[in-house]
Amino acid sequence: MGFKENVAKIIEHVGGPANVTNASHCVTRLRLVLKDENLVNRDALEENELVKGTFSANGQYQVIIGPGTVEKVYQEFVKQTDAEEVSKDEMKQITAEKGNPLQKGIRVLADIFIPILPAIVAAGLLLGLNNLLANPGIFFEEKSLLDVYTGWTGFAEFINVIANTAFTFLPVLIAWSAAKKFGGSPLLGIVLGLLLVHPELMSAYDYAADPEGVGYWNLFGWEIAKIGYQGQVLPVIFAVWLLTWSEKHLKSFIPGNLQMLFVAPFALIFAGLLTFGLIGPITMTGSNWITDGILYLFEVSPAFAGGVYGFISAPLVITGMHHIFLGVNLQMAGTLGYVTLWPVSETVTLAQGAAALTMFFLLKRNKKLRGVSFAATISAWLGVTEPAIYGINLRFRYPFIAVMLASAVGSAYIAAQGVKATSVGVGGVLSFLSVYPEHWGFYFLGMGITFVLTVGLTLGFHKGNLFQTRKSVDKKEGQTVETKKVATS
């Protein structure tokens, strides 16, 4: 079939033009809002020459096409369907109303955290670079690179200041992103974030060490503690929601020519008072309980906690719930100066790529899927696992199950050895840079265990016909034949 015919088949297999409400695209995928996803013929859709995989997430049905080609497919798709064209941001707003309250809450967290993630990852990499320079025993026995080449000391200190900036002013980054998400003024969000870490306040770290040393504002008999919110996540999100709510309501009755004078001051005073006096202390206590609870689990039974987290990490990505744990990791990095969940969960990134690579060698007759699996392997090992998950591993089921089991074992070992990272870092093969150098040996061994188990389990499930729903091509007939294989006792 020609290009237009292939696009027409895509439209047919997503339920026809009448089933398409809105259409958008990103760098690699068509993003569609469909009236009824039950009308999608996924098997036929994925046989299309232009399609490299499909999945449904966050109220959108996404068709993986690939960079460059996706723009041409999108233009032809819109031309043939007359679907309403929308931007990615508009698509998010359209799909925001879909799903249950938990799904909506997860989408809110994702939309807040993802825009600031590049700054956090950059900080993690720079902290990793500082670790390479300042830790002994990496390049020289019992000495660091700075001990041998003292001229690099100033550079290392400079790098360390840059790296710590993102975590020192983490509430500012979160407040800016949250204000954009909630529809408020990003500038007012920045001001509120700066207020929460103002140097006149007692920092959250100092307060934890000496609660009795805090000062108070006396507001007509209302005593409000002068405590900063360094390293906090939930208090900042709630504070910005209050700010945005008050900003919108003030604009609803203050005349336009007076809004510049009164909206910003009143909104900041209202949100600031409630944050410092009520919402902040409650949510900060809750955030600290979450962090302490996770640390307690890893202290009582680190292997069990790490194993469970490694086992569920892959399904969490599908549901989007991994964004909740991203918030926990940011909370840890900001308050403790290290993270435990992130290095434990990185086994999944390696395992997704390992499973996709194994499928590359198993899919001998299907050149299209071999190409997808190889590209997905590279993508996963560079930190982006969605192509491996949706393009290959979930499609065949048993590679995904192998990923879950192997990650559980690898994560259990890494957690048992107490591996920590400086922050959330870049995923994939460079993830070790964010891990403390003294833990590299345990980290590499845990990753090695994960890789070997993933490959072995994938091959074993394939050979034993376990958990399989595979497609094979009968070359003699030239037809696609689906064979379903289930586990046998």
Side-chain angles (χ1 to χ4, degrees), residues 390-430:
Y390 298 110
I392 297 295
N393 297 339
L394 260 185
R395 180 174 185 166
F396 289 90
R397 294 186 187 175
Y398 64 95
F400 193 81
I401 295 172
V403 167
M404 293 174 64
L405 294 173
S407 298
V409 177
S411 296
Y413 175 80
I414 289 175
Q417 302 305 322
V419 173
K420 297 181 179 65
T422 53
S423 72
V424 176
V426 63
V429 294
L430 296 178

Side-chain angles (χ1 to χ4, degrees), residues 90-323:
E90 290 172 331
M91 181 73 83
K92 288 181 180 179
Q93 292 176 1
I94 292 169
T95 57
E97 298 303 318
K98 292 189 174 185
N100 56 46
L102 177 60
Q103 291 172 325
K104 292 178 181 179
I106 291 170
R107 281 201 290 268
V108 169
L109 292 178
D111 290 341
I112 292 173
F113 292 142
I114 289 176
I116 68 173
L117 200 54
I120 302 301
V121 171
L125 283 174
L126 290 174
L127 286 172
L129 176 59
N130 185 69
N131 286 338
L132 288 175
L133 297 174
N135 281 271
I138 298 177
F139 300 103
F140 304 98
E141 187 175 354
E142 297 183 358
K143 287 186 178 182
S144 69
L145 190 68
L146 297 180
D147 292 331
V148 177
Y149 299 103
T150 55
W152 284 83
T153 301
F155 177 74
E157 292 174 349
F158 178 66
I159 289 293
N160 198 41
V161 170
I162 296 176
N164 281 304
T165 298
F167 297 107
T168 301
F169 297 101
L170 180 62
V172 181
L173 298 177
I174 295 174
W176 164 80
S177 186
K180 290 183 65 178
K181 171 60 185 175
F182 296 141
S185 166
L187 181 60
L188 288 185
I190 292 173
V191 173
L192 182 61
L194 290 169
L195 171 63
L196 296 177
V197 294
H198 196 286
E200 289 294 323
L201 304 173
M202 185 180 192
S203 78
Y205 314 121
D206 293 337
Y207 177 73
D210 181 23
E212 302 299 325
V214 66
Y216 291 87
W217 289 298
N218 190 319
L219 302 179
F220 311 106
W222 184 16
E223 297 285 335
I224 299 178
K226 301 178 182 179
I227 302 172
Y229 286 85
Q230 288 81 0
Q232 296 295 319
V233 174
L234 280 181
V236 182
I237 293 175
F238 277 93
V240 176
W241 184 86
L242 285 171
L243 175 71
T244 303
W245 181 88
S246 59
E247 180 188 356
K248 290 178 179 178
H249 281 73
L250 286 167
K251 286 182 177 180
S252 68
F253 65 84
I254 294 179
N257 59 340
L258 297 177
Q259 287 183 3
M260 182 176 291
L261 291 176
F262 295 107
V263 170
F266 288 166
L268 285 169
I269 290 173
F270 174 77
L273 284 175
L274 280 182
T275 298
F276 285 105
L278 183 64
I279 302 297
I282 293 173
T283 52
M284 183 164 69
T285 300
S287 297
N288 291 336
W289 281 352
I290 293 172
T291 303
D292 292 343
I294 291 173
L295 291 175
Y296 175 76
L297 289 177
F298 276 83
E299 289 173 2
V300 171
S301 182
F304 177 77
V308 171
Y309 186 54
F311 184 76
I312 66 173
S313 286
L316 286 178
V317 174
I318 299 173
T319 62
M321 290 185 67
H322 63 298
H323 293 297

Side-chain angles (χ1 to χ4, degrees), residues 8 80 82 107 141-142 160 162 209 227 241 294 302 328 332 341-342 357 365 367-368 383 407 423 432 461 488:
Q80 293 189 28
D82 290 327
R107 281 201 290 268
E141 187 175 354
E142 297 183 358
N160 198 41
I162 296 176
I227 302 172
W241 184 86
I294 291 173
V328 175
M332 282 186 170
L341 288 177
W342 182 79
L357 180 63
R365 294 184 178 182
K367 292 183 179 179
K368 177 185 174 182
S407 298
S423 72
F432 73 94
F461 292 156
T488 55

Side-chain angles (χ1 to χ4, degrees), residues 348-364:
V348 179
T349 305
L350 177 77
Q352 296 287 8
L357 180 63
T358 307
M359 294 304 295
F360 171 80
F361 294 102
L362 293 176
L363 296 168
K364 297 178 181 179

